[in-house]
Amino acid sequence: MTFGDVINGLKKNKTAKRTSWDGAFIEYVPETENVMAAIAVTLWNGKRVIGWNPTVEDLFATDWVVE
């Protein structure tokens, strides 16, 4: 899967991860009255960070999994 597939999956409320990530995944956070739309990453330890940005490696990777 490509990052384009990831974006399409996130728009359908799915989560995504790379096979090289150990338990981390990303998800879409929709816009609300007080917060702009963003992508959040939940790390292997359960900590959630809103405002994840992909690296160039992430953008061109083909090992994405959408669930």
Side-chain angles (χ1 to χ4, degrees), residues 10-65:
L10 294 177
K11 288 179 180 179
K12 295 175 183 172
N13 294 321
K14 297 185 181 233
T15 62
K17 63 183 178 181
R18 294 202 43 210
T19 57
S20 59
W21 292 357
D22 188 21
F25 61 91
I26 59 172
E27 61 189 321
Y28 176 68
V29 179
E31 184 174 341
T32 65
E33 195 171 304
N34 299 320
V35 180
M36 292 175 49
I39 296 175
V41 61
T42 300
L43 303 174
W44 74 99
N45 61 4
K47 188 172 193 174
R48 187 172 189 228
V49 180
I50 297 176
W52 177 84
N53 290 307
T55 64
V56 171
E57 182 181 344
D58 292 329
L59 292 173
F60 289 101
T62 57
D63 66 340
W64 285 99
V65 176

